[in-house]
Amino acid sequence: MALDPRRASARALAAALRAREISAVELLDESLAAVAEHDGAVNALVVHDFDRARADARAADDVLDRGEGGPLQGVPISVKESFDLRGHPTTWGIAELVGHRAERDALVVRRLKDAGAVVIGKTNVPVALNDWQSDNPIYGRTRNPFDLDRSPGGSSGGSAAAVALGYSALELGSDIGGSVRVPAAFCGVFGHKPTWGIVPNEGHSPGGWDGEAAPLAVIGPLARTAEDLSLALGIVAGPDDFSPANRLELPPPRHDRLGAHRVLVLDEHPSAATGAVVRAAVDDVARAVAASGAAVARSSDLLPDLARLLDDYRVMLAAVGSRRAPEGTPSLPVKDWFDLVDRQRAVRRQWAALFEQFDVIVAPVYGTVAFPLFDESVANDERMLRIDGRDEPYEPQLAWPSLATFGNLPATAVPVGLTAEGLPLSVQVIGPHRGDLTTIAFAAALAGELA
């Protein structure tokens, strides 16, 4: 086989399987060999479903031998621990939930399996999905594939590491505070935070809890290529049984080449420090995009107040986080909640006006590259990041993820190179409401330009 199974895209692997250049069982063997080689040190794939995966691979070969099958037939993937996988616990890293067993797969997992994917297991997360590193008392700590002393990101840290190391061609993650985008950036893979509400959340909850989708929170893919993000999104997105719509149609990409885009570039945030190496990466992207013929701007009067946006996002994020808090926990008064939702709507209108003049925004994913691992005994509000020789607080790094999240906008993380120390660099491409295919297409064109 000409393709490297640990590096090839899911699309390419699916094509090789259809051409019978490799069998699904052989491809699974390659995936599990990568796990055996790397996971003792990295600890990304913490729930193994190998027996069922082998049976599913054999069944996939039978389907492929008949010339049938879905777009992912026989392709090995993994999913974040926070998704239900039948027969396995869904703990979100919470020790009290270790005895839980899912009775069926999450809806999005079922959709991937229906498309022919072979699920090898689940990947690691922080406790309650609430950190930019992935460590919990059940499964332990996941390390960055590029430097074992650094974070792979969170909360989809195991997800990004699994894709980077060749375990899985696609991953399913989730994002409310950069939890797809930051791990993708730290591990040098592609990740997509969809427009809020287009991917159903059934089966993505701790210990089988069943409730309405949370504001801000989304489910999205991680992959080796941008094109695989659109493939995965096309499979998992769409209404569920409780949706008011019966189908989803996303607008096509606004442009078919990089140079046709109108691009707003942001590299500083009023509320969070951003390292020189990150700003330089954004600047390199801006120059490459401009050289392709795109119209590039560095500022706009149409931007929302980013500091106020972050403040409101923090309040909404805290309200979402208090949803299943113990009785008596202080909560946001109902009137204050609706005032907050109204301010969110106003920000969404500001973004809509901006995206009449621009097609995409290019910005940092996070203020640093992958940072050294923190001891879990150090609380988030006590952690400091070393940025350009200064100690900077950890929590304000919500600033860069908040741009897209508070506006319910799509955003795609794109690897754009390595630092002198060999750590991945990345930018996020933010687009208009329901502009998921625009940000992914721009990411693909950018990756091609930088290759």
Side-chain angles (χ1 to χ4, degrees):
M1 181 182 181
L3 295 177
D4 178 353
R6 300 188 190 184
R7 296 289 174 264
S9 70
R11 287 178 186 265
L13 292 174
L17 285 160
R18 287 192 299 271
R20 311 311 284 136
E21 296 171 4
I22 190 171
S23 73
V25 169
E26 290 169 334
L27 192 54
L28 177 63
D29 287 341
E30 288 282 353
S31 172
L32 301 189
V35 175
E37 181 179 345
H38 296 292
D39 217 43
V42 174
N43 191 40
L45 191 78
V46 293
V47 175
H48 295 175
D49 205 17
F50 296 167
D51 289 342
R52 185 158 52 193
R54 194 162 295 282
D56 289 345
R58 287 194 296 266
D61 277 330
D62 291 340
V63 172
L64 289 162
D65 285 340
R66 298 195 301 269
E68 301 171 356
L72 291 175
Q73 199 69 43
V75 176
I77 71 166
S78 49
V79 300
K80 191 175 180 178
E81 199 275 349
S82 52
F83 293 96
D84 284 346
L85 187 62
R86 181 171 55 86
H88 294 285
T90 310
T91 69
W92 290 39
I94 300 168
E96 292 78 9
L97 298 178
V98 72
H100 166 264
R101 293 295 181 273
E103 295 182 358
R104 64 175 183 166
D105 295 332
L107 175 56
V108 284
V109 175
R110 297 201 302 273
R111 288 178 175 178
L112 289 167
K113 286 186 172 182
D114 287 346
V118 174
V119 178
I120 64 170
K122 301 207 289 182
T123 49
N124 206 21
V125 297
V127 175
L129 314 189
N130 187 31
D131 201 355
W132 290 308
Q133 53 187 31
S134 296
D135 193 354
N136 64 73
I138 303 170
Y139 302 115
R141 168 169 287 185
T142 300
R143 298 177 180 273
N144 191 297
F146 287 81
D147 183 337
L148 296 178
D149 292 325
R150 292 178 182 266
S151 172
S155 59
S156 309
S159 304
V163 174
L165 289 167
Y167 305 176
S168 53
L170 277 175
E171 248 283 351
L172 198 58
S174 60
D175 190 314
I176 193 172
S179 287
V180 163
R181 290 163 287 165
V182 174
F186 284 8
C187 293
V189 301
F190 292 82
H192 183 67
K193 173 222 168 300
T195 298
W196 183 83
I198 69 170
V199 180
N201 76 318
E202 178 195 317
H204 184 256
S205 60
W209 182 85
D210 186 23
E212 189 55 69
L216 305 176
V218 300
I219 290 165
L222 298 96
R224 300 171 186 168
T225 68
E227 292 84 356
D228 281 352
L229 296 178
S230 60
L231 171 64
L233 189 66
I235 293 168
V236 300
D240 61 15
D241 291 341
F242 297 100
S243 173
N246 59 16
R247 66 175 182 164
L248 170 70
E249 277 193 43
L250 293 174
R254 286 190 174 185
H255 304 290
D256 60 3
R257 60 185 181 86
L258 190 65
H261 288 81
R262 301 164 298 169
V263 182
L264 176 62
V265 175
L266 304 176
D267 66 356
E268 292 186 345
H269 195 287
S271 303
T274 305
V277 68
V278 173
R279 295 196 310 274
V282 173
D283 190 57
D284 288 345
V285 168
R287 288 200 302 272
V289 170
S292 76
V296 176
R298 296 286 188 150
S299 63
S300 172
D301 293 339
L302 296 173
L303 268 177
D305 181 331
L306 299 187
R308 176 62 185 273
L309 183 158
L310 175 61
D311 289 343
D312 283 341
Y313 164 75
R314 282 176 168 137
V315 175
M316 185 171 283
L317 187 64
V320 171
S322 70
R323 189 176 188 181
R324 292 182 292 277
E327 194 72 28
T329 301
S331 60
L332 195 66
V334 172
K335 180 185 182 302
D336 291 351
W337 171 258
F338 279 108
D339 288 345
L340 178 61
V341 171
D342 288 343
R343 291 198 298 275
Q344 183 190 33
R345 173 58 68 93
V347 166
R348 293 178 68 190
R349 291 195 185 281
Q350 287 180 281
W351 284 127
L354 183 144
F355 282 114
E356 290 179 5
Q357 291 196 10
F358 297 97
D359 298 306
V360 296
I361 296 170
V362 171
V365 176
Y366 196 83
T368 70
V369 295
F371 52 77
L373 287 160
F374 289 99
D375 188 294
E376 281 300 301
S377 64
V378 181
N380 285 7
D381 59 2
E382 298 174 354
R383 294 177 182 176
M384 303 296 286
L385 296 166
R386 194 72 176 168
I387 301 179
D388 295 344
R390 299 184 302 274
D391 287 334
E392 300 286 354
Y394 188 69
E395 187 274 345
Q397 289 301 324
L398 282 167
W400 288 118
S402 75
L403 297 183
T405 306
F406 190 67
N408 289 343
L409 301 175
T412 306
V414 191
V416 296
L418 299 172
T419 68
E421 295 78 24
L423 297 173
L425 292 162
S426 185
V427 299
Q428 64 174 325
V429 180
I430 303 169
H433 178 67
R434 300 177 71 246
D436 298 72
L437 300 184
T438 289
T439 66
I440 293 172
F442 184 92
L446 176 61
E449 184 76 13
L450 298 176

